[in-house]
Amino acid sequence: MKSVTLSLLQSAANAFDFGGPVLCDAHHYGEGHINDTFVVWREDHSKRFILQRINTDTFTNPVGLMENVCGVTRHLRAKILAEGGDPARETLNVIPTLSGSTCYLDADGGAWRAYDFVEDTICLQQVGSETDFRTVAETLGKFQNQLADYPASTLHETIARFHDTPNRYANFEKALAADALDRAKNITSEIEFIHAREQDCHVLLDQLAAGEIPLRVTHNDTKINNVLIDAATGKGICVIDLDTVMPGLSAYDFGDSIRTGANDCAEDEPDQSKVHFDLHLYEVFAKGYLSTAGASMSMAEKKSLAWGARLMTLECGIRFLTDYLEGDHYFHIARPDHNLDRARTQFTLVRQMEEVFDQMLEIVCPNNH
């Protein structure tokens, strides 16, 4: 996409109903790597907003994406009001364009949207304490529970087959068969690891097809930095980055949080002896998540959460290894074999989860597994 100049940013800002003229700063805001994010202020500095250019290479249907965001946030606002909460802080609030649209399409095909800035919050980039992790879990569980009665099937799929683990396996097999860079000979143990778990890849979607677990509205990118925490109270208040909100399984959101948070290692740790799945952190997150989401979940769905932790980690490792075979074109790399290190770290975590899987099941579904 074309780089964002101050002129382009100002032109986009002028399309939105900010309640008056705004001042723009062309410096990117935040830690995101997909969309271009900026802060704009009213001229009198009485209020600020988030202005984003949606990455249309990743999200090819920005209008459909914004239909998802607006539908979900309207639903959340109604729930928050009914619970006596503050919808101005507890969910994202979309700013319409001057013509009443949810997004603005510029002359170069760029798609822009705007939100109220949620003030007096912090955004954690990593788990600093058990309290942080439980706070994130409770907030994500509440998000799930508030959307339990939303018709998930009406949402657009913003990234096709995003957490379709059997499809990720099939893509790996295609990359392996092509072996475009002659790398397969270097990863025989990793290939065997994936092949040995082919049937695992089907577990969650088979349960969905059998009607054992429900289709949900899911976030699908539940990293700790997608929860805003109130700076004064330390309580989680708002789930952000709703681009990947679409039909899915609660196990996806739970599992991805565990994959990224219940360990003490970097995602790309090259020394596998330093990779440790932390069962205690898993328990902290599970209890926090179920304290807010559990009331709307059956025993079968609670049991699926443990599988979500295993399968989201396995799926991510498969994606890293597929990219390694294909020449590292999807995930940015900073060194040779970077994607291979990432894949190995995920696979080490999977092995360790498998060793304690009965305990993982007992934590999310006591006496019922």
Side-chain angles (χ1 to χ4, degrees):
M1 293 191 299
K2 186 177 179 179
S3 60
V4 178
T5 62
L6 183 58
S7 174
L8 179 61
L9 183 62
Q10 188 70 58
S11 176
N14 290 342
F16 287 89
D17 186 8
F18 290 124
V22 291
L23 301 170
C24 298
D25 181 347
H27 291 94
H28 283 74
Y29 176 82
E31 303 286 335
H33 300 297
I34 303 298
N35 301 313
D36 294 305
T37 304
F38 306 91
V39 172
V40 300
W41 288 87
R42 281 199 190 134
E43 281 188 340
D44 62 0
H45 277 253
S46 62
K47 187 173 174 60
R48 60 177 167 167
F49 308 88
I50 291 290
L51 180 61
Q52 284 185 319
R53 184 175 67 171
I54 300 168
N55 187 328
T56 50
D57 293 332
T58 302
F59 302 106
T60 57
N61 179 12
V63 174
L65 184 156
M66 289 308 296
E67 286 178 5
N68 283 2
V69 171
C70 290
V72 163
T73 54
R74 273 195 304 269
H75 187 90
L76 289 171
R77 270 195 298 279
K79 294 280 181 160
I80 293 162
L81 283 169
E83 295 164 3
D86 180 3
R89 290 179 61 74
E90 295 177 37
T91 188
L92 293 178
N93 289 272
V94 176
I95 304 294
T97 67
L98 291 169
S99 63
S101 298
T102 59
C103 60
Y104 163 69
L105 304 180
D106 66 28
D108 298 311
W112 297 79
R113 45 96 182 283
Y115 297 113
D116 284 330
F117 193 102
V118 185
E119 300 288 355
D120 302 316
T121 61
I122 57 176
C123 184
L124 301 172
Q125 297 304 318
Q126 60 187 30
V127 176
S129 68
E130 290 181 17
T131 301
D132 289 344
F133 205 33
R134 175 155 183 131
T135 294
V136 170
E138 290 170 349
T139 310
L140 291 169
K142 183 177 180 180
F143 178 84
Q144 177 71 227
N145 192 58
Q146 288 174 327
L147 292 167
D149 57 348
Y150 191 99
S153 61
T154 64
L155 293 173
H156 299 275
E157 197 174 27
T158 57
I159 300 178
R161 308 183 81 174
F162 187 57
H163 280 318
D164 183 337
T165 313
N167 187 57
R168 297 293 190 183
Y169 182 95
N171 290 339
F172 164 74
E173 289 285 60
K174 291 174 188 173
L176 180 59
D179 195 16
L181 280 74
D182 194 32
R183 288 177 165 179
K185 63 179 183 293
N186 303 323
I187 55 168
T188 54
S189 62
E190 288 78 18
I191 293 168
E192 289 172 3
F193 180 89
I194 293 173
H195 284 167
R197 289 157 180 81
E198 179 181 5
Q199 292 307 307
D200 287 354
C201 293
H202 295 263
V203 168
L204 290 176
L205 288 181
D206 283 355
Q207 290 178 5
L208 175 65
E212 296 170 9
I213 56 177
L215 191 69
R216 294 273 195 181
V217 177
T218 47
H219 185 282
N220 297 296
D221 188 19
T222 49
K223 299 187 297 290
I224 189 170
N225 60 5
N226 281 332
V227 170
L228 295 183
I229 295 174
D230 187 278
T233 66
K235 297 296 184 183
I237 58 168
C238 182
V239 178
I240 62 171
D241 194 3
L242 305 181
D243 292 344
T244 51
V245 167
M246 52 185 162
L249 303 175
S250 57
Y252 296 163
D253 283 1
F254 179 89
D256 209 33
S257 291
I258 295 300
R259 182 187 75 80
T260 56
N263 59 69
D264 57 359
C265 63
E267 187 176 66
D268 56 358
E269 174 57 60
D271 182 355
Q272 295 304 294
S273 69
K274 296 180 179 179
V275 178
H276 303 111
F277 170 64
D278 190 323
L279 185 65
H280 176 64
L281 280 180
Y282 168 90
E283 183 171 11
V284 167
F285 188 91
K287 289 182 175 178
Y289 186 84
L290 288 171
S291 73
T292 50
S296 65
M297 302 176 73
S298 67
M299 286 298 180
E301 190 174 16
K302 291 175 183 177
K303 183 178 176 181
S304 77
L305 299 179
W307 272 106
R310 273 175 65 170
L311 294 187
M312 291 302 95
T313 310
L314 176 62
E315 179 185 288
C316 193
I318 290 172
R319 292 178 65 196
F320 286 141
L321 201 63
T322 300
D323 200 34
Y324 174 77
L325 286 168
E326 292 177 343
D328 308 303
H329 64 89
Y330 186 84
F331 297 105
H332 175 74
I333 61 167
R335 61 178 184 267
D337 293 349
H338 199 167
N339 275 321
L340 181 55
D341 288 337
R342 288 166 169 154
R344 285 171 171 163
T345 296
Q346 301 306 300
F347 296 157
T348 297
L349 290 170
V350 171
R351 286 191 190 94
Q352 294 176 0
M353 288 181 195
E354 290 171 348
E355 291 170 1
V356 296
F357 194 60
D358 283 347
Q359 292 166 264
M360 291 170 65
L361 285 169
E362 181 67 24
I363 288 166
V364 293
C365 200
N367 306 313
N368 282 280
H369 69 275

